[in-house]
Amino acid sequence: MTSLKEICRGLPLNPLPENKGRRKGIPHAPVRTPNLTAQEKKLALRNALRYFPPEIQKKLALEFAEELRLYGHIYMYRFCPDIEMRAYPIGEYPCKTKSAAAIMLMIMNNLDPSVAQFPQELVTYGGNGQVFSNWAQFWLVMHYLSEMTEEQTLVMYSGHPLGLFPSPQRAPRLIITNGMVVPNYSSRDEYEKMFALGVTMYGQMTAGSYCYIGPQGIVHGTVLTVLNAGRRYLKAEDLSGKVFVTSGLGGMSGAQAKAAVIAGCVGIIAEVDEAALLKRHKQGWLMEISNNLDHCIARLREARKNKIALSLGYHGNVVDLWERLVYELDTTGELLVDLGSDQTSCHNPFNGGYYPVQLSFEEGKQLLSTSPGKFRTLVQESLRRHVAAINKLADKGMFFWDYGNAFLLEAQRAGADVAKKGANKTEFRYPSYVQHIMGDIFSLGFGPFRWVCTSGDPQDLATTDSIAMSVLEDSIRQGVSTSVKQQYHDNICWIREAGRHSLVVGSQARILYSDQKGRVSIAVAINRAISEGKIKAPVVLSRDHHDVSGTDSPFRETSNIYDGSAFCADMAVQNFVGDSFRGATWVALHNGGGVGWGEVINGGFGLVLDGSKEAEERAKMMLSWDVSNGVARRCWSGNAFAYETICQAMKENGTLRVTLPHKVVDENILEQAVQH
């Protein structure tokens, strides 16, 4: 078994580790089909061999060529380390700085088999969200981090460690960019080729920025989404007896089962991959599993009638489930579902993110590797059937939303009936969850704030939970608006129930949705608790890129911006740059994430709290910008909630000045001007 000290020594070359290939008994990424020419295959091999000295290149070239032929990418399985991959307590990492040790901890958590979707292919979640492109990069990064001082910055180019460069102590210790491709070449086909060549990488959101905290990260957002969907669509605060149907139990979508139970409803979640179902069931996130639709419908009826919170995983294709619900409606007149969505990895539909209903899972994987064109055709046929069933149920009163996974976008491209009459190109027959459910929450400055206790001690996490609850309760007592108060109450309930629901998978982490004031206050309180010895080790602050300011995504995060700027990415880029010089320990900027390659620009950060006064000042400055940037942008686009939020922020901070929009009161002047 390899030790952490050995991991930090750099690539193991003398002797070479044994090549054990793909391990059995764990999930593996789908075979990729980049369709490289002979010359491009040589280039891919040349690029991979750059990491190794000439005397071993001949031996490695043969096995790398075999990996490229069999799997469509060179993962360098020989160098997959023989170590228990997990987030170790920060003191066990052999580093010169706490910042570097914290980054190491976060990297290893992203690759922990209990956390990662395809750990041996370095995929954390989403089917193709890479931490690195190959295992050589992992070894080099860990070595660089072990050597890093507080006057160096590690620069990462799409998984490749360019090197350590001199920088001021206040600068970030790590700068990450993933998938920064010239826009005219940022297509899916080009991506498959460039990834196979080893020159770019799809980091999803928090996979390639080393900030994933397991499915808990999406559970909270899903709970809030389902609760607020119930409030908006069903006019209900209590969701007991209400049925939520969706699909996906993978890296991110795996949260849906737990979220349904926490929200108090009946959740039926379809998943084609049995390994994903069993993983979530073993973790206690999924209560029951069945591959029998008759049984699923019977359990749905029973739980619905008795108002029992239930998460039932259907081992099968979600299209079969939707069509069975249509059959029940047609034959009994009974609408059995109240709320519906989808969390297949539809951002990557033709490379294993969505499996067609016409084939079994194994048949689909086989066809994907042997005939990707036929696979694509079947996927689009399946999407049309998928939407047709949803439409029939929605016509009778079921409320459906797009969960930002490009489901409606890909369905539209497949020719499904998802058009909305008179809509702009970011709108469909059904809203995205941002447009109808979470968008106003973003405009208030609320988003997925999170932290990781690097001691690895659950007691430290409990202490931070208590701190966060106290901060939010104090804010309510001091007086907040009704809309903010409701969000604070939801989050206090979330933290209070967190321990009971066994949300921690991997690192000792917590997430909650908070606004600017809440984030800053929680960060300051946690930092002071570290200084006073109430928390044993540093705490890493972060957030999902899916946040107020972090992501420009016209079919998700910015889908409720209607001034024509939804396709502009200034906000995410400015956030990345602004966080970097306001105190972040590391920053990341990505192409792709959630909705897919070429469809979104997003960024994130990590900030290490060590109990120092400097850490407190960094947190105040950086977290304020990290929220107010997006609120100001939403204000300028005309959002009333954002306008009120930013005006209040300016009252509280005399150094903040934001350009406020004037409303066009008389629409007739526009018509007259155009006609003139």
Side-chain angles (χ1 to χ4, degrees):
M1 184 73 74
T2 307
S3 68
L4 287 174
K5 284 187 177 180
E6 290 171 311
I7 288 287
C8 293
R9 289 174 187 160
L11 273 166
L13 302 177
N14 188 18
L16 282 173
E18 180 185 356
N19 184 12
K20 297 179 181 179
R22 278 195 170 193
R23 293 175 187 161
K24 294 181 179 179
I26 62 171
H28 288 286
V31 174
R32 311 189 76 92
T33 53
N35 297 318
L36 300 183
T37 65
Q39 283 301 112
E40 288 167 340
K41 290 175 183 177
K42 290 179 183 178
L43 182 57
L45 289 169
R46 184 180 293 112
N47 289 345
L49 292 171
R50 288 184 292 188
Y51 290 104
F52 305 96
E55 58 268 23
I56 60 173
Q57 288 179 357
K58 183 176 181 180
K59 182 173 186 176
L60 295 179
L62 293 173
E63 65 190 55
F64 289 172
E66 185 71 354
E67 286 185 21
L68 188 61
R69 183 182 69 82
L70 291 176
Y71 312 120
H73 187 73
I74 300 170
Y75 296 105
M76 305 184 185
Y77 289 118
R78 177 189 288 274
F79 296 96
C80 181
D82 183 21
I83 190 171
E84 183 185 352
M85 191 71 73
R86 61 181 176 87
Y88 291 83
I90 192 169
E92 296 185 22
Y93 290 95
C95 295
K96 297 178 180 178
T97 74
K98 291 291 185 184
S99 297
I103 296 166
M104 283 180 155
L105 180 153
M106 300 291 278
I107 288 171
M108 293 189 74
N109 187 68
N110 272 24
L111 294 169
D112 180 339
S114 70
V115 173
Q117 186 178 15
F118 305 125
Q120 222 184 345
E121 287 75 43
L122 304 109
V123 172
T124 301
Y125 71 91
N128 59 350
Q130 302 284 148
V131 183
F132 302 107
S133 181
N134 60 58
W135 284 105
Q137 294 171 347
F138 168 83
W139 286 89
L140 288 172
V141 166
M142 298 298 274
H143 175 65
Y144 279 133
L145 289 171
S146 72
E147 294 293 316
M148 176 192 287
T149 71
E150 291 288 3
E151 294 182 336
Q152 290 174 306
T153 294
L154 176 58
V155 177
M156 297 294 299
Y157 280 18
S158 293
H160 169 67
L162 193 67
L164 289 171
F165 293 82
S167 62
Q169 191 168 354
R170 193 170 168 78
R173 300 279 69 83
L174 174 65
I175 301 283
I176 303 167
T177 52
N178 283 311
M180 292 292 106
V181 173
V182 175
N184 282 354
Y185 302 90
S186 188
S187 68
R188 278 187 185 147
D189 289 343
E190 290 285 356
Y191 168 72
E192 289 299 327
K193 187 167 291 190
M194 285 187 280
F195 181 59
L197 293 175
V199 296
T200 198
M201 189 181 86
Y202 187 76
Q204 261 288 356
M205 289 192 162
T206 52
S209 65
Y210 321 145
C211 294
Y212 192 63
I213 60 167
Q216 178 193 170
I218 191 67
V219 170
H220 186 34
T222 307
V223 169
L224 291 179
T225 300
V226 173
L227 287 175
N228 284 297
R231 290 166 181 155
R232 178 176 181 123
Y233 297 137
L234 308 178
K235 310 302 179 189
E237 286 288 336
D238 181 4
L239 294 183
S240 57
K242 304 300 182 184
V243 178
F244 172 49
V245 171
T246 183
S247 59
L249 285 166
M252 293 289 278
S253 57
Q256 295 181 109
K258 178 67 78 174
V261 172
I262 294 174
C265 64
V266 180
I268 312 296
I269 306 100
E271 171 60 61
V272 293
D273 185 353
E274 186 178 25
L277 284 151
L278 294 174
K279 182 176 182 177
R280 297 304 173 208
H281 188 259
K282 182 179 179 182
Q283 290 172 340
W285 286 51
L286 182 66
M287 294 166 68
E288 299 177 17
I289 297 173
S290 176
N291 61 4
N292 185 299
L293 278 173
D294 290 339
H295 176 74
C296 289
I297 297 299
R299 285 293 288 131
L300 183 160
R301 290 182 188 277
E302 180 185 3
R304 182 172 179 246
K305 178 181 178 181
N306 296 317
K307 297 189 175 183
I308 299 169
L310 172 68
S311 59
L312 171 60
Y314 167 56
H315 181 207
N317 197 290
V318 70
V319 180
D320 287 326
L321 176 58
W322 283 119
E323 290 181 341
R324 176 58 184 267
L325 290 166
V326 171
Y327 172 81
E328 295 296 324
L329 175 66
D330 290 342
T331 56
T332 68
E334 191 176 11
L335 179 66
L336 293 178
V337 55
D338 302 286
L339 301 170
S341 192
D342 184 88
Q343 276 202 46
T344 53
S345 294
C346 226
H347 67 277
N348 186 37
F350 310 124
N351 283 287
Y354 181 100
Y355 282 87
V357 65
Q358 305 92 321
L359 303 173
S360 70
F361 180 52
E362 293 302 326
E363 289 170 340
K365 288 197 295 183
Q366 180 66 26
L367 186 66
L368 174 59
S369 64
T370 58
S371 182
K374 181 64 182 301
F375 183 86
R376 182 188 188 105
T377 298
L378 292 181
V379 163
Q380 293 191 319
E381 287 178 6
S382 185
L383 281 167
R384 292 193 291 271
R385 280 176 57 181
H386 196 153
V387 168
I390 289 169
N391 288 349
K392 289 178 181 178
L393 295 165
D395 287 345
K396 297 298 182 180
M398 185 265 293
F399 295 94
F400 184 89
W401 67 88
D402 183 287
Y403 218 126
N405 59 337
F407 172 70
L408 292 179
L409 179 63
E410 290 302 331
Q412 180 190 56
R413 290 168 176 169
D417 181 13
V418 295
K420 179 181 178 181
K421 189 175 181 180
N424 65 41
K425 57 184 177 180
T426 66
E427 294 180 294
F428 299 99
R429 178 172 180 162
Y430 305 106
S432 79
Y433 75 115
V434 172
Q435 287 169 329
H436 269 206
I437 304 169
M438 300 297 283
D440 288 341
I441 293 175
F442 279 169
S443 295
L444 291 168
F446 282 83
F449 181 56
R450 55 178 62 162
W451 60 87
V452 175
C453 297
T454 66
S455 66
D457 187 343
Q459 185 54 50
D460 275 356
L461 184 59
T463 301
T464 61
D465 283 348
S466 178
I467 288 170
M469 278 195 293
S470 295
V471 166
L472 298 183
E473 288 165 349
D474 286 346
S475 295
I476 291 172
R477 282 192 290 269
Q478 291 167 16
V480 292
S481 68
T482 302
S483 52
V484 169
K485 186 177 180 179
Q486 183 184 61
Q487 297 306 318
Y488 277 177
H489 272 309
D490 283 348
N491 281 280
I492 290 167
C493 291
W494 161 261
I495 299 173
R496 190 174 289 129
E497 295 291 308
R500 184 168 71 86
H501 289 290
S502 303
L503 293 165
V504 171
V505 177
S507 60
Q508 292 295 316
R510 182 68 70 229
I511 184 172
L512 60 79
Y513 267 57
S514 186
D515 58 356
Q516 178 179 325
K517 182 179 179 181
R519 296 186 207 203
V520 172
S521 299
I522 290 169
V524 169
I526 288 175
N527 192 61
R528 290 178 182 174
I530 297 169
S531 177
E532 294 164 3
K534 296 176 182 176
I535 298 171
K536 303 175 190 66
V539 170
V540 175
L541 301 182
S542 185
R543 58 162 169 76
D544 197 341
H545 296 197
H546 163 66
D547 196 14
V548 182
S549 307
T551 299
D552 284 295
S553 178
F555 296 101
R556 195 164 79 173
E557 284 81 356
T558 50
S559 61
N560 67 332
I561 289 179
Y562 302 111
D563 67 352
S565 71
F567 290 86
C568 300
D570 300 83
M571 180 177 71
V573 176
Q574 288 281 0
N575 224 64
F576 163 79
V577 175
D579 284 354
S580 73
F581 63 77
R582 285 181 173 88
T585 307
W586 73 93
V587 288
L589 185 67
H590 296 184
N591 171 8
V595 182
W597 181 264
E599 305 285 358
V600 49
I601 298 293
N602 63 90
F605 73 87
L607 196 161
V608 177
L609 297 178
D610 59 7
S612 66
K613 185 65 178 175
E614 183 193 7
E616 179 175 321
E617 292 306 313
R618 283 172 177 255
K620 288 179 179 177
M621 181 70 72
M622 199 224 77
L623 291 173
S624 295
W625 160 254
D626 196 64
V627 176
S628 61
N629 172 36
V631 177
R633 187 266 178 97
R634 285 171 162 78
C635 166
W636 184 246
S637 75
N639 184 282
F641 284 109
Y643 186 95
E644 293 173 11
T645 303
I646 206 67
C647 286
Q648 181 63 32
M650 285 195 286
K651 287 180 183 178
E652 296 173 359
N653 185 345
T655 63
L656 177 64
R657 290 287 184 273
V658 172
T659 306
L660 300 175
H662 292 285
K663 187 175 181 180
V664 177
V665 178
D666 185 0
E667 291 288 326
N668 290 327
I669 65 174
L670 305 179
E671 185 68 29
Q672 291 166 6
V674 170
Q675 289 181 357
H676 178 73

